Amino acid sequence: MTFFSEISGMLSDPFMQRSLAAAVIVGLTAPVMGTYLVQRKLSLLGDGIGHIALTGVAVGWLVGSTMGLVQNDALAIPGAVVAAVLGSVAIELVRERGRTSGDVALALMFYGGIAGGVLIIGFAGGTNANLMSYLFGSISTVTMTDLYLTVGLGAVILLVGVGLSSALFSVSHDEDFARASGLPVRGLNIAIAVIAALTVTVSMRVVGLLLVSALMIIPVAVAQLVTTSFRRTMVVAVAIGVAVCVVGLSITYWQPQSPGATIVVLAIALYAVVAALRPLVVRRRTVARDPHPDMMDDVTLDQGAPRCSA
């Protein structure tokens, strides 16, 4: 069987069609919000929201079981959306008032979210296997309903994250300056928190709730190694996010591995390669770059070290 026939077989599989579509949306949306979180030094916010969303998944499962729905987890994603949005707003209000430090607030959300999810899903009749599919992602669980929700939420995330990029960057970079400029700082901060919550719930079917934060942060970290502006960082991070999601998910078609873990390991490997090559590229640019080509040189550059010429 040739490579092209293998690819054709993968693309004709309904499970992979839905999963690849969801993976592209996740690759587009997660780095967009990750760029703002990195700028605000809140890289672990997505992880905290993911834990809270697990409780929402369990509550949705319990409600679905109580209502006697044919598919017990039919309300899992709506439950995750509600829980993640409420939790993200709570984290933002705690951070704003400053009565509890940010890391303590996140720790409370981490432990409360995971403990609540495990307990409630037990009452709902769920199993550890059901729980694992939400924690680490599972391509076989992406239904058409999930895909429609993912497309809708992804459109909202991109509309807000890209459409309000100037205002969101301003408040993420310097809140005092943004407030002095007349921007609604509290509203924009809550908007960032809510959109981050939606990003987590969009991504949970593909990479899982425990690993979604990595997909929001690592592509941005890679992009920061090769770019210098906020806008270019976001564009490169989105390209990296889409690439690792599609490649990682495709690998799991032939190798029975967790899609979330595969995608995250690919992203980390890419970061390691770029970080290792970056000093070589920067040194070559420094040696080759002449800042004033129209003027006589008064120094000679030799392997990056300036030396006065005679």
Side-chain angles (χ1 to χ4, degrees):
M1 186 175 288
T2 65
F3 172 76
F4 292 104
S5 63
E6 289 278 356
I7 296 295
S8 176
M10 181 185 74
L11 295 178
S12 61
D13 187 331
F15 283 131
M16 286 304 294
Q17 290 173 353
R18 293 195 295 269
S19 299
L20 284 171
V24 170
I25 296 170
V26 170
L28 286 171
T29 55
V32 168
M33 286 315 303
T35 308
Y36 296 114
L37 297 185
V38 170
Q39 186 69 31
R40 305 183 70 185
K41 303 186 187 306
L42 287 174
S43 299
L44 291 179
L45 180 63
D47 208 12
I49 295 173
H51 285 67
I52 300 168
L54 183 64
T55 297
V57 167
V59 171
W61 197 303
L62 181 61
V63 173
S65 299
T66 305
M67 295 174 64
L69 299 180
V70 176
Q71 188 178 352
N72 288 338
D73 64 343
L75 300 178
I77 290 186
V81 171
V82 173
V85 169
L86 293 177
S88 64
V89 172
I91 291 174
E92 176 56 32
L93 293 178
V94 169
R95 187 195 67 84
E96 181 189 75
R97 295 182 179 182
R99 294 180 181 177
T100 305
S101 61
D103 60 337
V104 173
L106 284 175
L108 292 173
M109 297 297 177
F110 280 11
Y111 306 135
I114 199 82
V118 170
L119 284 177
I120 295 172
I121 207 164
F123 288 123
T127 64
N128 289 336
N130 301 135
L131 201 59
M132 293 291 283
S133 69
Y134 288 98
L135 290 175
F136 297 102
S138 175
I139 60 174
S140 62
T141 60
V142 180
T143 64
M144 285 305 297
T145 303
D146 294 337
L147 186 58
Y148 293 145
L149 282 172
T150 301
V151 171
L153 293 175
V156 173
I157 294 167
L158 292 177
L159 187 64
V160 176
V162 178
L164 299 178
S165 60
S166 297
L168 295 180
F169 168 74
S170 179
V171 76
S172 299
H173 181 66
D174 189 337
E175 282 193 12
D176 294 333
F177 177 78
R179 191 172 287 107
S181 302
L183 291 174
V185 173
R186 171 178 284 184
L188 291 172
N189 280 334
I190 291 178
I192 291 175
V194 170
I195 296 303
L198 296 181
T199 306
V200 169
T201 53
V202 161
S203 309
M204 71 178 184
R205 284 297 200 188
V206 177
V207 295
L209 292 170
L210 290 184
L211 298 175
V212 61
S213 185
L215 192 55
M216 297 170 73
I217 303 304
I218 297 175
V220 179
V222 178
Q224 286 182 329
L225 293 175
V226 296
T227 61
T228 54
S229 72
F230 180 81
R231 192 175 300 276
R232 288 180 182 175
T233 297
M234 182 179 288
V235 172
V236 174
V238 167
I240 293 171
V242 172
V244 295
C245 281
V246 171
V247 173
L249 195 59
S250 300
I251 291 174
T252 62
Y253 177 74
W254 291 285
Q255 297 293 329
Q257 300 292 338
S258 165
T262 305
I263 290 169
V264 172
V265 167
L266 274 179
I268 292 175
L270 180 62
Y271 178 86
V273 171
V274 175
L277 295 177
R278 183 174 181 273
L280 300 177
V281 176
V282 171
R283 181 178 301 174
R284 177 171 295 181
R285 285 179 179 174
T286 303
V287 172
R289 181 172 177 268
D290 184 352
H292 303 291
D294 55 333
M295 298 176 62
M296 294 290 291
D297 293 336
D298 56 353
V299 295
T300 300
L301 300 180
D302 184 10
Q303 294 182 351
R307 185 180 62 189
C308 294
S309 60

